[in-house]
Amino acid sequence: MSQAPVVRLQNVSKRIGSRTIIDRLTLEVNPGEVFGFLGPNGSGKTTTIRMMVGLITMSGGDISIAGHSVKSAFPQAVSHVGAIVENPEMYKFLTGYQNLVHFARMNRGITKQRIDEVIELVGLQGRIHDKVKKYSLGMRQRLGVAQAILHRPSLLILDEPTNGLDPAGIRELRDYLRRLSREEGTAVFVSSHLLSEMELMCDRVAIIQKGQLIDIRSLRGETAETSQAMEEVLFEVDHPDAAIGVLEGRGAANVVEGGFTVTADRETIADLNRRLVMAGVRVYAIRTKIKSLEDQFLEVTGGETVG
Amino acid sequence: MANFWNLVRNENMKIYRRIATWIMMGFVVLVPVLLTVLFSIFSQGEKLNNWEMMLLESQILFQLITIFAVVKAAESVAGEFTMGTIKLLLIRPWSRSSILLSKFISVVLFALFFSVVGFAVTWLINVVVFGYVSDPAGLIPPNSPLTGSSPWAYALMSYLDQFIALVVVVTFGFMLSSAFRSSGLAIGLSIFLLLSGSIVSGLLAIADKPWVKYVLFPHLRLTSYLDGGSPVPNYPTTFAFSLGVLAVYFIIFNIVSWTVFTKRDVAG
Ligand SMILES: Nc1ncnc2c1ncn2[C@@H]1O[C@H](COP(=O)(O)OP(=O)(O)OP(=O)(O)O)[C@@H](O)[C@H]1O
Ligand SMILES: [Mg+2]
C-alpha cells in the first residue's frame, strides 16, 4: 500500500481524573485495509473509537483522518468517516427508511437511489418501512451499517459489529467488508472480542490491553513467504519413537499422539522427510501448526479477561 | 457541507413523527373549545364577549403550550442522550453548535406553531359561540397603553407577550436538558419556574430590595403592562426594561447550553 494512511493516531491518550484509560496509542490504517482492534473487556477499544469520531476529547496526541485533524478540522475529518459506536441505537419511533433519510440529509449528495442501494446491500428491503422499535437486534445492526456507509466513507469504524448477528449475518458482513475494502478501497477499522472472527476478516490486528498498544500483527501472506522462519511442524508417522531416532538430534522433537512435532525451517523439513522415508518410516502427513489468533492473543495478553 | 436547513428538517421530523406531538395538539384544540362550551352552558348571569373569553383562555393555553414545548426541548437534547442516538448525530460533518442551534430553532418553531393554532382556535370558537364583537367596551383598561386600539391589536399583543415569556422558559428548559442530559429534571424545573412565578413575586414584594427588579420570575408576566401595571411589586419598571431583563436571561441560558453541549464528552 503506497498511499498515505487513511487514519493516523499519534500518541493518543485519554485520562479521566487520575486514571489513564488510553496511554500514548500510535497506529495507522491504510486505504483498502481491514484493520482489527482487539482487546479484552475494558481495555479501551470503545474509548479509542469515541476519540476517533470526536465524541470525546483527547487528553494528548492527535488523530488525523484523510489528512484532517479531528481536533482542529472536525467536520472535514469526520466527513470521511462512517461509524457505529457500541450499539446501533437508532430513532425507534421512526421507520428504518426515515432514519436513513435523517442521516442522509446530514451529508451532501446522497441521492434516493443511493439510499435504496444501501438498503439492498444490507438486506433490509423487506422491513425498511417498519418502525425501528419492531426491529430485532440483528436488523438494527444492519441498519447501523447502512447509515454508516451511506456517504461512501473512506474509513468505516465498527465497534463490535457482529454483536447480535446470526451466523449468516456475520458471514454476509464479513464478505461485504472485504468487498468494500477491495473494490472501493475503504479502510475498515473493526473492534471485536471475537478473535476467530478477526482472523477471518482482518489484514492486520492491533492488540491493546489496559489502554496500551501491545502488538500489531499482519495476518495475511506471511507463512508462505518467510521460508527462513522457523515453523512448528507436525509429522504424522507410524512409529514416532523410531522416527525420533532417525532425526539424530536435528531440531527439538516432541512425540505426540500419532507422530511428533519439530521446530525447523522449510529446507530442514524437506530434509527430515527424506531421512524418514529412507529409514523406512511411513510419513502420512506433514502439517504446519499455525497458531490461531486466539492463542496469540491469549499469549500476548496473558489470558487476562478484564483489564 | 450540506444545507443547514436540513438539520432543522431532521429535528422537525423527530418532533412531528411522534404521536405524542399530535396528542399535545389535540389538547391545544380541545381545551379552549371545552372551556368555551362549558362556560356558555353553565354561566347564566355572567356575560362575556368573544375577546374576553379568548384572552382568559389564552392564559391556560400558554401554560399548556409552555409545558409541551419544554417537554420537546427536553426530548430534543436529553432524549438523544438517553436513546443513545447522540452518538450517530454528532459524528456528521457538522459542528456541535449547528446541531444545537437546529434543535433550538425546531423547538421554538414548535412553540410558534402551537401558539398560532391556539390563537386561531380561541378566536374561532369564541366567535362561533359568543358572536363577533367589533368594538368591545371594557376589554382594554383605561390606563392601558393600547387604549383606543382595536381588540385585534390588544389580543395579538397579549399573545405576543405570552409567547416571549414562553420562549424564555423553554430556553431555560433547553439549558437544563443539555446541562444535565436528563429530560425529567429539565421538565420538572421548568414547570417549577413557570408555576412558581406568582409565589416568588409575592416573596419579592416582602423582600423589598432594589435587586428584586432583576429577578427573572416577575418579568415573565409581560401582560401586566397591557393593563397599565408593571410586573415587579413596589418597583415600577418599563416594558423595555422587562424585555431587557428577559433578553439577558435568554442570552445567559443559551451560553450555558452552548458551552456544555459543545465542550462535554459524550461517553457512556
Ligand atoms: N466515562 C468514563 N469514566 C471513567 N472511566 C471510563 C469511562 N468510560 C470508560 N471508562 C473506563 O475506561 C476503560 C475502557 O473502557 P472501554 O469502554 O473503552 O473498553 P472496551 O475495550 O470498549 O471494552 P468492551 O470490550 O467491554 O466494550 C474501562 O476500564 C472503563 O471502566
Ligand atoms: Mg466497547
Side-chain angles (χ1 to χ4, degrees):
Chain A
M1 226 62 64
S2 58
Q3 298 112 303
V6 178
V7 58
R8 177 181 272 148
L9 282 78
Q10 277 167 320
N11 277 318
V12 174
S13 297
K14 179 69 183 177
R15 283 181 293 278
I16 296 182
S18 58
R19 275 194 63 194
T20 301
I21 294 173
I22 300 294
D23 192 10
R24 287 161 294 153
L25 201 62
T26 299
L27 56 87
E28 289 178 354
V29 182
N30 298 312
E33 182 177 41
V34 181
F35 190 91
F37 198 48
L38 204 55
N41 287 130
S43 53
K45 301 181 296 293
T46 302
T47 306
T48 305
I49 289 176
R50 281 178 192 274
M51 287 191 282
M52 290 169 79
V53 296
L55 287 175
I56 62 179
T57 55
M58 291 164 241
S59 314
D62 199 3
I63 297 174
S64 71
I65 296 171
H68 302 285
S69 159
V70 171
K71 264 185 184 166
S72 59
F74 175 74
Q76 290 87 327
V78 87
S79 68
H80 296 277
V81 180
I84 306 180
V85 183
E86 291 191 315
N87 306 312
E89 285 117 342
M90 313 291 280
Y91 299 103
K92 293 204 170 72
F93 53 91
L94 298 179
T95 66
Y97 192 81
Q98 287 161 352
N99 269 285
L100 292 182
V101 167
H102 176 276
F103 294 115
R105 278 185 192 145
M106 300 185 80
N107 283 84
R108 236 213 307 247
I110 299 174
T111 58
K112 212 188 149 304
Q113 288 95 301
R114 174 64 186 162
I115 297 179
D116 293 336
E117 188 184 313
V118 167
I119 292 167
E120 193 108 350
L121 253 170
V122 299
L124 272 179
Q125 54 274 36
R127 303 290 301 275
I128 199 67
H129 292 291
D130 285 1
K131 289 240 162 77
V132 171
K133 63 171 150 241
K134 295 187 191 155
Y135 281 18
S136 68
L137 177 57
M139 290 162 71
R140 268 184 282 141
Q141 196 69 263
R142 285 160 191 257
L143 189 60
V145 172
Q147 64 76 29
I149 60 176
L150 266 180
H151 53 295
R152 302 178 199 276
S154 37
L155 173 66
L156 182 60
I157 300 176
L158 304 173
D159 196 2
E160 318 217 2
T162 50
N163 209 350
L165 290 184
D166 54 24
I170 293 178
R171 199 203 168 85
E172 261 173 56
L173 178 74
R174 194 167 67 219
D175 293 346
Y176 175 65
L177 292 183
R178 293 221 65 91
R179 200 164 71 234
L180 204 63
S181 69
R182 250 197 337 268
E183 290 168 14
E184 305 207 16
T186 308
V188 183
F189 187 93
V190 237
S191 85
S192 176
H193 306 111
L194 296 174
L195 313 165
S196 45
E197 262 308 313
M198 301 289 253
E199 272 182 316
L200 290 171
M201 83 182 143
C202 299
D203 300 311
R204 285 198 299 154
V205 284
I207 301 176
I208 64 158
Q209 187 190 21
K210 294 182 178 161
Q212 285 178 325
L213 186 67
I214 292 197
D215 198 9
I216 297 184
R217 297 194 176 191
S218 186
L219 297 181
R220 306 258 167 232
E222 257 195 357
T223 37
E225 293 160 12
T226 53
S227 56
Q228 292 305 307
M230 302 289 271
E231 296 170 70
E232 190 178 18
V233 214
L234 172 75
F235 279 80
E236 279 182 25
V237 293
D238 56 353
H239 299 296
D241 294 316
I244 295 263
V246 176
L247 299 184
E248 295 165 353
R250 285 166 158 266
N254 293 309
V255 176
V256 295
E257 179 83 29
F260 64 91
T261 61
V262 63
T263 305
D265 64 41
R266 276 167 77 84
E267 289 306 316
T268 311
I269 291 165
D271 202 35
L272 288 179
N273 184 41
R274 189 178 52 82
R275 282 164 174 276
L276 289 170
V277 175
M278 302 281 275
V281 178
R282 297 183 70 81
V283 179
Y284 303 114
I286 306 174
R287 272 185 277 144
T288 309
K289 285 184 72 180
I290 302 174
K291 271 193 198 148
S292 75
L293 186 58
E294 180 144 11
D295 293 336
Q296 296 181 13
F297 176 64
L298 290 177
E299 195 176 279
V300 169
T301 62
E304 224 169 311
T305 44
V306 175
Chain B
M1 233 91 320
N3 187 344
F4 175 77
W5 181 241
N6 278 344
L7 296 187
V8 182
R9 279 171 72 200
N10 276 345
E11 296 308 321
N12 285 342
M13 174 167 79
K14 287 181 265 183
I15 292 176
Y16 300 106
R17 289 281 180 192
R18 292 196 136 176
I19 296 159
T21 302
W22 298 101
I23 295 174
M24 290 173 177
M25 177 58 87
F27 273 101
V28 167
V29 172
L30 278 182
V31 165
V33 170
L34 249 123
L35 284 175
T36 298
V37 169
L38 288 179
F39 185 85
S40 71
I41 293 171
F42 293 110
S43 72
Q44 267 81 27
E46 202 86 35
K47 204 77 189 95
L48 280 180
N49 64 47
N50 63 313
W51 297 104
E52 282 165 333
M53 192 63 195
M54 177 182 178
L55 289 171
L56 210 61
E57 283 168 359
S58 77
Q59 296 182 20
I60 297 163
L61 197 65
F62 268 96
Q63 300 236 335
L64 208 57
I65 298 175
T66 307
I67 292 169
F68 291 162
V70 165
V71 169
K72 288 296 159 192
E75 270 175 7
S76 179
V77 186
E80 299 266 6
F81 284 91
T82 44
M83 289 188 289
T85 45
I86 192 76
K87 291 182 294 187
L88 291 179
L89 192 67
L90 293 184
I91 58 168
R92 311 287 148 179
W94 287 99
S95 65
R96 290 197 190 178
S97 318
S98 309
I99 305 271
L100 189 70
L101 181 63
S102 71
K103 286 185 171 295
F104 186 74
I105 291 175
S106 72
V107 171
V108 172
L109 286 177
F110 167 90
L112 183 64
F113 173 43
F114 273 44
S115 302
V116 168
V117 169
F119 186 93
V121 171
T122 50
W123 187 87
L124 210 68
I125 184 66
N126 290 307
V127 167
V128 168
V129 172
F130 300 106
Y132 182 75
V133 185
S134 60
D135 188 19
L139 174 74
I140 308 175
N143 53 347
S144 164
L146 286 178
T147 307
S149 313
S150 79
W152 276 98
Y154 186 75
L156 278 170
M157 202 57 203
S158 168
Y159 272 71
L160 181 66
D161 285 353
Q162 296 182 79
F163 181 74
I164 292 170
L166 179 161
V167 170
V168 175
V169 176
V170 167
T171 309
F172 178 73
F174 204 76
M175 173 187 75
L176 295 178
S177 164
S178 60
F180 298 109
R181 296 173 183 184
S182 146
S183 25
L185 203 61
I187 295 168
L189 285 178
S190 307
I191 292 175
F192 171 78
L193 177 73
L194 181 69
L195 301 183
S196 62
S198 54
I199 301 162
V200 173
S201 301
L203 290 175
L204 292 179
I206 300 165
D208 199 25
K209 293 275 189 318
W211 50 259
V212 298
K213 61 180 179 185
Y214 301 108
V215 176
L216 172 65
F217 297 87
H219 296 286
L220 294 172
R221 288 184 48 244
L222 282 176
T223 45
S224 27
Y225 291 109
L226 281 183
D227 301 330
S230 74
V232 189
N234 307 331
Y235 287 92
T237 50
T238 63
F239 184 62
F241 178 82
S242 285
L243 283 183
V245 170
L246 291 179
V248 169
Y249 280 99
F250 176 83
I251 290 166
I252 292 171
F253 294 160
N254 274 317
I255 288 175
V256 174
S257 314
W258 178 82
T259 310
V260 175
F261 190 79
T262 56
K263 300 280 182 289
R264 248 170 60 179
D265 277 359
V266 179

